[in-house]
Amino acid sequence: MNKLLLLAVCFLVSTTLASEKDLEKRINLTLDKKAQIDLELFKTDDDVKQLENTIRQKRKVLLQRARALSYLKNFKWGGLMSFDDPTTFERNLRILSSLNKFDFSLFQDYKASLRNLAQGRVDLADYKKELDQVINQLQAQEAQLFADEQIRKSLLATEKKKSLLLFKGKMSAPTEGQAKLSFGSYRDEQNQYAFLIRGLLYEAKNGRKVYAVGPGQVIFRDVIPHWGETLIIQHDDNYFSVYAGIQVESLKLKDMVKMKDVLAVTKESDFYFELRHFENPINPKNWFKEKL
């Protein structure tokens, strides 16, 4: 009976782990989608505002032309016809023709701008609706992941297995201070592009201590482009923590570390921390005791 129960628990752990892994992957894909929609929403909103401003300017010009046309309606056309010189008469006709074409093109252009504005507002509403749907989808996925993790934590305790998941909510942050950017999607409004943060970005002060978030083994220590010196620690149950933009003193590959061991110090550049489960970056927000 105990053997059957153990097999059942093992099966449940494996099934829940597979579900978690799939959810973590889907959450990252949903974040990618959210970033893209958010960028399209920003661009469309900017286009609508520019169109509204352009239409206001065009309306002023049209009002000026309307007043000019009103004046022409009261013009004494007999005076135009009284010229004996055919060349002068032909010139005046050309002027009138040009004025009419110019006014007609102004009104056509205004009409097209109004049509573009109406479509822009429709697109804007569609993007807002799509963004709301993606946010709801993301929240549902995160809620399901939390539920799966709770189940697996209970099963891991039953099996007496080690996992970094058992430290969730109890870990200390990798360094002091507030993260300036957290896990999620952002947009650069000045340059109009979307970007994703797969972990935590700190504005590092030179020499600030960097701590191990959990027990594990150093599996990577090297310099990588942009970030400089970087450490990766492997934890139980296929979890990994990444520390970039640091200065390591004595740690080397295969060294074992305990939670809150000092790994390195920050340099003048930003310090970046990432938590992964298998190959998937995961949101570290609820893993720490401190508020991020």
Side-chain angles (χ1 to χ4, degrees), residues 13-161:
V13 169
S14 176
T15 304
T16 311
L17 182 59
S19 175
E20 271 182 53
K21 188 177 177 182
D22 179 60
L23 273 168
E24 288 160 355
K25 185 176 181 179
R26 283 193 283 136
I27 285 170
N28 281 288
L29 290 173
T30 305
L31 276 170
D32 289 340
K33 188 176 180 181
K34 179 182 178 294
Q36 191 56 46
I37 295 170
D38 196 41
L39 180 61
E40 293 299 329
L41 177 63
F42 171 71
K43 286 180 178 177
T44 306
D45 185 50
D46 191 52
D47 288 344
V48 165
K49 287 175 181 174
Q50 287 185 28
L51 267 171
E52 287 172 340
N53 185 55
T54 300
I55 285 171
R56 279 194 293 269
Q57 299 303 318
K58 287 181 177 180
R59 190 178 291 126
K60 288 179 183 177
V61 174
L62 286 174
L63 286 171
Q64 290 171 353
R65 293 306 306 154
R67 283 193 288 268
L69 288 170
S70 177
Y71 170 77
L72 279 176
K73 283 176 69 177
N74 298 320
F75 183 73
K76 294 180 180 179
W77 294 96
L80 181 67
M81 307 289 192
S82 65
F83 289 110
D84 295 328
D85 182 3
T87 306
T88 304
F89 181 70
E90 188 179 339
R91 182 202 64 192
N92 288 339
L93 283 179
R94 281 201 305 270
I95 292 170
L96 283 173
S97 174
S98 297
L99 283 173
N100 285 333
K101 287 177 183 175
F102 175 69
D103 290 326
F104 182 74
S105 67
L106 281 178
F107 280 98
Q108 287 289 92
D109 187 43
Y110 184 71
K111 180 182 175 183
S113 295
L114 287 175
R115 191 162 49 241
N116 290 339
L117 178 60
Q119 184 58 52
R121 285 173 173 164
V122 169
D123 292 342
L124 193 59
D126 288 344
Y127 281 128
K128 285 178 179 176
K129 184 178 178 182
E130 191 176 1
L131 184 61
D132 286 342
Q133 290 172 345
V134 169
I135 289 171
N136 289 337
Q137 181 185 6
L138 186 61
Q139 289 172 343
Q141 288 170 341
E142 288 175 339
Q144 183 60 55
L145 179 62
F146 178 78
D148 284 357
E149 285 177 341
Q150 295 304 108
I151 293 169
R152 196 159 68 86
K153 281 171 79 173
S154 299
L155 295 172
L156 286 166
T158 302
E159 270 199 301
K160 297 183 179 178
K161 282 193 171 183

Side-chain angles (χ1 to χ4, degrees), residues 172-176 208-214 233 235 241-243 246 257-266 271 273 288 290:
S172 294
T175 193
E176 297 171 358
R208 183 175 283 172
K209 291 178 180 178
V210 174
Y211 304 99
V213 296
I233 294 176
H235 308 279
S241 54
V242 182
Y243 312 77
I246 56 176
V257 298
K258 299 188 295 293
M259 184 185 290
K260 291 212 75 176
D261 275 358
V262 176
L263 304 175
V265 293
T266 58
F271 164 63
F273 170 81
F288 302 118
E290 302 90 344

Side-chain angles (χ1 to χ4, degrees), residues 138-271:
L138 186 61
Q139 289 172 343
Q141 288 170 341
E142 288 175 339
Q144 183 60 55
L145 179 62
F146 178 78
D148 284 357
E149 285 177 341
Q150 295 304 108
I151 293 169
R152 196 159 68 86
K153 281 171 79 173
S154 299
L155 295 172
L156 286 166
T158 302
E159 270 199 301
K160 297 183 179 178
K161 282 193 171 183
K162 293 181 179 180
S163 172
L164 190 69
L165 182 61
L166 296 171
F167 293 96
K168 187 172 182 179
K170 303 172 186 176
M171 298 192 315
S172 294
T175 193
E176 297 171 358
Q178 291 287 316
K180 65 176 184 177
L181 289 177
S182 300
F183 188 92
S185 64
Y186 297 86
R187 68 178 179 225
D188 184 305
E189 296 190 0
Q190 184 176 355
N191 300 303
Q192 294 196 7
Y193 67 87
F195 63 96
L196 293 166
I197 294 291
R198 303 293 194 183
L200 301 171
L201 186 65
Y202 291 84
E203 190 173 346
K205 290 184 178 178
N206 198 24
R208 183 175 283 172
K209 291 178 180 178
V210 174
Y211 304 99
V213 296
Q217 184 178 42
V218 178
I219 62 166
F220 179 90
R221 177 188 172 181
D222 207 345
V223 174
I224 61 174
H226 178 71
W227 287 112
E229 197 163 9
T230 300
L231 278 179
I232 299 177
I233 294 176
Q234 182 171 7
H235 308 279
D236 289 323
D237 203 15
N238 295 295
Y239 286 94
F240 302 86
S241 54
V242 182
Y243 312 77
I246 56 176
Q247 183 176 333
V248 183
E249 292 183 0
S250 57
L251 276 179
K252 55 188 183 296
L253 288 178
K254 298 186 179 180
D255 277 356
M256 301 301 295
V257 298
K258 299 188 295 293
M259 184 185 290
K260 291 212 75 176
D261 275 358
V262 176
L263 304 175
V265 293
T266 58
K267 297 184 74 175
E268 291 179 6
S269 58
D270 290 335
F271 164 63

